[in-house]
Amino acid sequence: MAEGTAPISPEGAAIGRPIARDDGVAKVTGRARYAADCRPPGLLHAVIAPSRIARGRVTAFDLDAAMAEPGVVAVMTPANRPPLAEDPDAKTAPIVFRLDLLQDDRIRYAGQPVAVVIGETLEAAEEGAFRLAPAYAAEPALVDIDAAEPFVPETVGLGAPVERRRGDVEAALATAAHRVQRRYETAAQVHNPLEPHAVVAVWEGDRLWVDTPSQNVARAQRRIAGLLGLPPDHVHIRSPFVGGGFGAKAFPAGPQVLGILAARLVGRPVKLVLSRAQMFGAVGHRAPTRQTLRLGLADDGTIAALAHHARVASSRFDDFFEPAAALSGGVYAAGAVETTHEAVRLDIATPVVMRGPGEATGSLALECAIDEAAAELGLDPLAFRRLNHADTEPISGRPFSSKALRACYDAGAARFGWAGRPLAPRSLSDSDGRLVGLGIGTAVFPSMMFQAEARALLRADGAAIVELGAHEIGQGAATALRQIAADALGLPLSAVTLRTGASDLPDAGGAAGSSHTATAGSAIHAAGTALVARLAALATADPASPLHGAGNAVLFAADGALHAGDGRRDPHAAVLARAGLGAIEARGAAAPDRAARASHAMAAHGAVFAEVAVDPDLGAIRVTRLVGAFAAGRIVNPRLARSQLVGGMIWGLSLALHEAAQFDPATGAIANADLGAYRIPVHADLPFVEALLVAEEDTLVNPLGVKGVGEIGITGTAGAVANAVWHATGVRIRRFPIRIEDLALAMPGREKEDDA
Amino acid sequence: MKAFDYLKPDAVPAAVGALAANPDAKLLAGGMTLLPTMKQRLAEPAALIDLAGIAGLKGITLDGDTLTIGAMTPHAEVAASATVAAAIPALAALAGGIGDPAVRNRGTIGGSLANCDPSADYPAAVLGLGATVITDRREIAADDFFLGLFETALEADELITAVRFPRPLRAGYAKFKSPASRYALVGVFVAETVAGVRVAVTGAAASVFRAPAFEAALAADFTPGAVAGLSVDAADLNADIHAEASYRAHLVTVMAKRAVAAALE
C-alpha cells in the first residue's frame, strides 16, 4: 500500500503531518487496556444463554442443573432480574433502540439473551449456561426478505425521508431514448469488530463504574442511567480503547446492560464478554436489501431519469430501515430523480447502523446500474460518469460546498492506468489464463457534523491537557484530535496531552457518520481558540509583556508562544508566570452551521478503480488492484486518513465478494456464525490497495474544513469490483456478495444472462 | 466441556482392551476433529484413550513398491518425507495441503481415516491409490473401508495401525479448498496403476467415492481433455452453505482435469 501522490499542503505545525498513531506502541505491545482486560477484585464472570429459536417463548429452564455446576453463583432470568426504571421497549428518546433485557419470556430472534449465568470462573459460567438447557415453545419464524409483505415506513435511517423526488421520473422514463432497469440483491452482514462487546461492571452503592467499548459514551451514559433510574453523573463509562465498532457500538447493546444487571444481582463486580458466535446475535447487523434501479437515457448519453427503489428489512419489534436508495439523490445529474423505500418485518434482531449504512449497499447497486447503462450506450464507463457529473446536488438543486470529483477521476484514472481499457467485456487475460477486468465506481459520502464540547487546560509549564469524551475506535481519532489541539493552542505536539474515552468528560458526540474529526475537532478548535484569546488578553494587558498593547486581532499562537506578526513574541508559560496563574482553562463548543447546511450540499467524493482476475473454470475472483482517489476537505493526518480509506475500500471489496450472514430458513438462526464460514477478507485476499488524497478546500463544511474519511471508501469500491468482474467475464451477477458458483455456472451460457 | 477420564496405554492391545472395556471412550490420535467436537459439545466421551504413547504406530517405510505409513504419523511428516516424495509425490503433496501447519503437525493419517470426514483429503488418496488399511486384527481394502458419512468398516473397538500404499505409475491430486478450513470442497485423486486407472472424489458427497466414467475415459486416454466433457450427477452430491450440488459437480470435472495435469507433470 504505497503512499499517495497528491500533495496536501500542511496548514499549521501539526495538522497535515502524517505522524504515526499515538496509541500504536501501546496496542502492539499489549499495554492498551480494553474493557475485557479489566479485572477488579472479586470479579465474577457472566455468560449469556442465547435463544436457539427465532420466535416463540421460553417455557422452562433447568435451574437446578445450572446451579449444581460447581462455581456457578447465580442464574439471572426474567424471574429475578433486578428491576429497571424504564421499560426497555419504551422509546424514551428520539433515537433509541429497544433492548432485550429479560423483560419477559418472549423470543423475537435467534441469539436473543434468555438468561445470564454468573460464575466464579468463565468456565463455570459457560458450563452453567449449557446446563440451563432452556425449553421452548417455538413458532414459525420468517427470515426471508422476499417472502414478507412490504410496507412503506415513516422514515429511513435515523429520521431521513423515506421518499425524495425532483422532476417527473415516470414521464422522463416514458420518453427516454433508452431505458435500463435492473434489480440487485445484497445480503445481511454482521459488523464483527475484532473486539467483541464486553462489559465490566462495578457497583458502589448507587454509583456504577462501567468499562465497555462505546462509539458514544455520552449516549451510553444517558441510556444506561435512564434504564437504571440513576442520575447520569452516577454512571461512569470508561472506553479508552475500542477494538473496532463499525456501528455495532454506536448504541449500548442489550448484553452490555445485562452485564451491569448481573453485577447488581450478585453484588459483586461482573465481567461479561460475548463470544464470536454471540456477535452474530443481539448486537446489530446490516439488513439485506433488494434494490431496483431504473434509468432513462438520452441518445447523447445524458441521464434523463434515475429512480432508485429499495426494499429493506427490519425486526418485528423495532424500526431501523437501511436508507439504501437515498444516496442516489446526490451522485449523478439527471433530468428527474427519485429515491424510494419499502420495508418488511422479519423475525430477526433489529438491524442497526453499519459502516456506510445505506450508502454502502445503495452505492453498490447504483454503480452497477450506471455501468450497465454505459454498456447499453456503448460508452466508456468513466466517460459516462464524467458526462453525467452532478454540478449541483440532483435531488435538491443545492450547490455543493466543494466538490473535487473530477480531479479524483483524473488522479485515480492516471494512477490506475484506465486509458486504453477495451470497451468490450472478456477482452483481457493474464499469463495464467485468468480473465482480467477493469471497473470503476464513484464514491460519495455526506459530510456530517454533530454537537460537541471540549475543554483545554494550559499549565504553567506551557503544556496543555485537552479533554473531551471522544472515541479512539481504531480509526486514529486520538492522534488526529491531538494534532488539531496542538495547532489550536499554538503548542508543539509534544506539549499536548489528550484525554478521551470517558463519560465524565465533555460530550464530544459519537464516533459515527464519518463525523468525529469534524465534530470533536471543531470543539477542540473552539476550546483552543478560546484559551489563546484568554492568554492574549493577559499578555496584551501586561505592561511586562513584549506584546503589551498589541491588538488581540493581530496575535496568533505558534511554537508555544503568542506572536504579534512583527517578530514580537511572548511564550505561553511566561504569560502565565507573570500573571501568577498555575493554569488557565477554556471551554469550546461546536455545532453544525444550520444556515450553510440548508443552502449547500456537503459531501466527500472519490473515484475507485478495480482490477480483477477470474479463473474461468472455477469462477474464483481475485482482486488484483484497487486504486481510490478521494477528496475529503482538509486532511488532518494523511497517514491515518489513507489507512481509513484503505480500510473502507477493503469493506467495499468484502461487500461485493465476501460477507453474507446466511439465515437458516428452518430455524431463523444465522448458519455461519463464525469467522470460518462468514468470510471476512484476509491479507491474501488483498494484494494491492492504494488510496490517493486529492486536495480540496472547503470553507463551509465546518471551521476546520474537514469532511471525514471513515466510510467513503466502501462506496464506489463495491461497485467498481462488481463492474470489473463483469468486464472480465461478460457475466453480470446482481446478487451480492458475488458467489463464484453463480459466476462459474453462468459463464458457458452467457447468452442466457437474465436482464430482468 | 464435560469431565472425562484420560488413559495413555503404551501398546496396541492395551488400547484395544481399554476401548472394549469402555464403550463410551474414544481413541485420541491428533485430536484435530475430536477435541473441537468435544468443545462444541457434539461429543462427550467418558474417556479419551491417547495413542501417542504407543511405540511403533508412527513412521514411514518403503519396501519395494509398497509404502507403509504408521497410523499416528502426522501429515507434516508425510509431506516432508523424502521417501514419500520419491515413491508417491502426489501423496506428499496432498499431505502438505491439509489444513494449516498446526493441523499438519498434530493430525494423523489414522485419525483422518477413522473419522472419515466427507471433506477430508486422505480418503481420496487411500481410495484413489487402492491402498490397504491395516488394523489391530485384519487388513481392509480401500474399496471396502469407506461406508458413508463418518462411517467406516472399522468395528467399535478396532484400531488402525498403518496404511499400505502401492506405488502408482503416476498420480495427481487437486482440490478446491475452503478458504478458512482448507477442507476440500471437492478434491479429486487420480492414479494410473498397474491394475488400471482409479479416480476418487472427496468433499462432494457423503463419503469419498470412485468415478467409473472418469476412470474409463482416462484408461483410454490419460489426459485432462479426456475428462473435460464428463460430469457426475449433482443429485448425488452435497449441498450446504459452502456450495450447491451443481457447483460441486462442476468442480469434480475441473479438479479431475487438474489432477490429471498434476499427474502428468
Side-chain angles (χ1 to χ4, degrees):
Chain A
M1 297 172 196
E3 296 290 295
T5 52
I8 294 287
S9 56
E11 309 172 46
I15 290 177
R17 279 174 56 191
I19 62 170
R21 63 175 65 231
D22 289 342
D23 51 358
V25 171
K27 284 181 173 172
V28 298
T29 56
R31 280 192 286 109
R33 206 165 78 141
Y34 292 81
D37 297 327
C38 298
R39 299 169 188 278
L43 183 69
L44 296 177
H45 298 265
V47 167
I48 279 176
S51 168
R52 303 290 174 209
I53 67 167
R55 182 179 167 95
R57 293 182 182 281
V58 179
T59 56
F61 294 111
D62 195 342
L63 287 169
D64 291 341
M67 290 302 295
E69 181 64 28
V72 170
V73 173
V75 178
M76 186 167 74
T77 70
N80 66 341
R81 187 260 282 149
L84 293 171
E86 286 175 358
D87 178 355
D89 281 322
K91 291 285 192 181
T92 52
I95 299 175
V96 67
F97 289 103
R98 299 189 163 112
L99 298 175
D100 290 287
L101 300 178
L102 304 179
Q103 54 263 49
D104 52 38
D105 60 3
R106 185 80 213 164
I107 291 169
R108 322 198 260 203
Y109 55 90
Q112 177 186 323
V114 298
V116 177
V117 179
I118 304 125
E120 294 284 352
T121 64
L122 177 62
E123 291 76 12
E126 284 182 340
E127 189 64 24
F130 176 73
R131 299 292 163 202
L132 196 58
Y136 305 104
E139 299 163 21
L142 180 64
V143 293
D144 179 357
I145 184 174
D146 295 312
E149 194 60 33
F151 66 99
V152 178
E154 288 182 15
T155 61
V156 292
L158 302 175
V162 68
E163 298 183 351
R164 296 190 75 187
R165 287 189 177 80
R166 184 178 166 90
D168 187 338
V169 158
E170 299 306 331
L173 275 170
T175 57
H178 309 270
R179 281 181 289 277
V180 172
Q181 177 170 341
R182 299 287 189 273
R183 183 173 182 271
Y184 305 91
E185 301 183 3
T186 65
Q189 299 185 321
V190 180
H191 305 74
N192 270 311
L194 184 59
E195 177 203 28
H197 287 61
V199 60
V200 174
V202 181
W203 287 88
E204 290 175 2
D206 64 348
R207 281 191 179 267
L208 173 64
W209 299 85
V210 185
D211 292 287
T212 198
S214 173
Q215 294 174 244
N216 193 323
V217 288
R219 177 191 280 152
Q221 181 190 49
R222 288 193 297 273
R223 179 68 163 140
I224 291 167
L227 285 165
L228 298 172
L230 297 174
D233 65 359
H234 283 206
V235 177
H236 306 274
I237 296 179
R238 296 176 295 208
S239 185
F241 298 103
V242 181
F246 313 120
K249 295 167 183 169
F251 299 86
Q256 289 164 293
V257 182
L258 288 172
I260 293 165
L261 291 169
R264 188 61 143 179
L265 179 73
V266 297
R268 284 172 62 179
V270 161
K271 177 190 292 188
L272 189 155
V273 182
L274 293 190
S275 68
R276 182 55 61 182
Q278 290 171 346
M279 291 298 290
F280 292 76
V283 295
H285 66 281
R286 192 200 298 278
T289 72
R290 303 290 182 262
Q291 302 180 57
T292 301
L293 271 291
R294 293 182 296 152
L295 288 100
L297 307 163
D299 278 325
D300 65 0
T302 57
I303 300 171
L306 195 165
H308 190 162
H309 179 71
R311 169 187 283 207
V312 299
S314 191
S315 69
R316 284 206 196 273
F317 59 93
D318 208 351
D319 298 342
F320 181 78
F321 305 105
E322 174 115 350
L327 152 140
S328 284
V331 188
Y332 296 104
V337 59
E338 71 171 31
T339 62
T340 55
H341 298 83
E342 65 180 29
V344 300
R345 293 200 180 279
L346 302 175
D347 296 303
I348 58 174
T350 306
V352 74
V353 292
M354 180 165 158
R355 207 170 181 189
E359 291 87 0
T361 49
S363 168
L364 171 54
L366 173 66
E367 292 305 318
C368 286
I370 289 292
D371 228 59
E372 298 204 55
E376 175 82 15
L377 297 170
L379 293 175
D380 172 79
L382 173 55
F384 182 66
R385 284 169 170 83
R386 287 186 194 274
L387 180 64
N388 289 290
H389 181 273
D391 298 331
T392 57
E393 186 184 46
I395 200 76
S396 70
R398 293 179 299 177
F400 287 99
S401 60
S402 61
K403 182 174 180 179
L405 176 58
R406 285 197 180 91
C408 294
Y409 286 142
D410 292 343
R415 179 72 179 175
F416 181 77
W418 180 264
R421 169 189 177 274
L423 198 56
R426 218 177 170 99
S427 298
L428 302 172
S429 60
D430 68 11
S431 56
D432 295 329
R434 297 183 300 180
L435 306 173
V436 173
L438 310 176
I440 181 181
T442 300
V444 60
F445 197 85
S447 302
M448 299 182 221
M449 185 173 166
F450 302 100
Q451 295 183 18
E453 296 175 9
R455 68 174 168 252
L457 181 84
L458 179 70
R459 298 191 315 226
D461 63 358
I465 299 169
V466 174
E467 298 180 318
L468 75 172
H471 307 86
E472 174 52 61
I473 60 172
Q475 83 281 47
T479 309
L481 294 177
R482 203 168 66 85
Q483 290 176 263
I484 292 169
D487 282 3
L489 292 163
L491 291 173
L493 267 170
S494 58
V496 179
T497 301
L498 188 75
R499 290 189 56 219
T500 63
S503 64
D504 296 343
L505 301 172
D507 181 353
S514 299
S515 70
H516 206 34
T517 304
T519 299
S522 293
I524 290 171
H525 181 75
T529 303
L531 192 141
V532 168
R534 286 198 59 194
L535 202 60
L538 287 173
T540 54
D542 180 358
S545 170
L547 302 172
H548 179 65
N552 277 357
V554 299
L555 291 183
F556 66 94
D559 304 326
L562 297 171
H563 301 258
D566 56 6
R568 286 183 292 160
R569 64 192 294 277
D570 194 357
H572 291 3
V575 177
L576 289 190
R578 286 194 312 272
L581 295 172
I584 59 170
E585 184 184 304
R587 288 171 172 263
D593 179 340
R594 301 287 171 201
R597 285 176 178 267
S599 60
H600 288 79
M602 299 180 180
H605 292 87
V608 182
F609 297 82
E611 178 189 79
V612 303
V614 180
D615 182 314
D617 287 333
L618 300 174
I621 302 160
R622 297 277 302 170
V623 177
T624 46
R625 285 193 299 149
L626 269 183
V627 175
F630 300 93
R634 180 188 289 187
I635 299 300
V636 175
N637 182 322
R639 181 168 173 168
L640 296 178
R642 280 194 195 95
S643 173
Q644 280 283 83
L645 293 165
V646 166
M649 291 165 74
I650 292 168
W651 272 61
L653 182 159
S654 191
L655 174 63
L657 302 182
H658 286 255
E659 288 178 64
Q662 295 175 276
F663 286 87
D664 180 343
T667 65
I670 294 176
N672 57 337
D674 60 73
L675 295 183
Y678 182 90
R679 292 191 55 215
I680 287 172
V682 298
H683 282 97
D685 295 309
L686 308 163
F688 186 85
V689 183
E690 183 177 25
L692 312 178
L693 300 171
V694 172
E696 184 177 67
E697 187 179 345
D698 194 311
T699 57
L700 294 169
V701 67
N702 53 55
L704 294 169
V706 167
K707 284 185 170 178
V709 292
E711 291 157 282
I712 186 173
I714 307 176
T715 69
T717 303
V721 170
N723 293 334
V725 171
W726 169 79
H727 188 243
T729 63
V731 177
R732 178 63 74 171
I733 302 295
R734 303 189 184 88
R735 175 166 61 156
F736 297 98
I738 295 175
R739 305 184 322 154
I740 62 175
E741 52 266 53
D742 288 347
L743 190 58
L745 299 179
M747 259 196 272
R750 273 172 49 198
E751 69 280 1
K752 287 188 290 186
E753 186 187 352
D754 177 11
D755 279 352
Chain B
M1 193 158 67
K2 205 173 104 179
F4 56 88
D5 293 329
Y6 176 78
L7 307 172
K8 195 170 182 184
D10 57 6
V12 169
V16 173
L19 190 55
N22 192 346
D24 292 330
K26 287 277 185 195
L27 297 175
L28 176 65
M32 294 297 90
T33 297
L34 180 56
L35 297 184
T37 307
M38 290 169 63
K39 197 172 175 194
Q40 291 174 294
R41 302 175 184 283
L42 298 172
E44 295 198 331
L48 289 184
I49 302 166
D50 191 347
L51 304 177
I54 304 176
L57 283 183
K58 212 170 162 183
I60 298 166
T61 57
L62 182 65
D63 180 7
D65 282 336
T66 300
L67 180 75
T68 304
I69 301 177
M72 286 293 286
T73 310
H75 314 322
E77 267 183 42
V78 176
S81 163
T83 305
V84 178
I88 316 177
L91 185 61
L94 176 147
I98 298 173
D100 54 28
V103 168
R104 291 196 288 274
N105 281 308
R106 290 291 307 165
T108 67
I109 186 169
S112 173
L113 295 175
N115 186 49
C116 196
D117 188 292
S119 298
D121 293 294
Y122 264 130
V126 170
L127 188 62
L129 289 164
T132 302
V133 178
I134 304 169
T135 77
D136 62 292
R137 64 201 66 171
R138 59 177 169 154
E139 298 187 354
I140 309 173
D143 285 318
D144 301 325
F145 183 80
F146 302 101
L147 300 186
L149 188 70
F150 297 106
E151 189 184 353
T152 70
L154 291 171
E155 292 169 20
D157 60 349
E158 192 170 8
L159 170 62
I160 299 175
T161 57
V163 184
R164 208 163 59 214
F165 293 92
R167 187 208 294 256
L169 300 174
R170 52 195 169 183
Y173 181 63
K175 72 167 168 175
F176 188 82
K177 50 185 183 270
S178 157
S181 68
R182 309 292 171 184
Y183 268 119
L185 206 58
V186 166
V188 177
F189 198 99
V190 172
E192 190 177 19
T193 73
V194 289
V197 173
R198 295 174 69 96
V199 176
V201 180
T202 189
S207 178
V208 65
F209 64 91
R210 288 175 66 181
F214 286 65
E215 292 178 352
L218 290 171
D221 174 19
F222 198 83
T223 64
V227 295
L230 302 178
S231 60
V232 295
D233 187 349
D236 301 330
L237 303 187
N238 295 341
D240 53 32
I241 61 169
H242 304 296
E244 290 163 9
S246 56
Y247 188 65
R248 279 195 167 88
H250 175 75
L251 285 178
V252 170
T253 303
V254 175
M255 292 302 133
K257 281 164 52 184
R258 294 187 180 184
V260 174
L264 292 171
E265 269 177 11

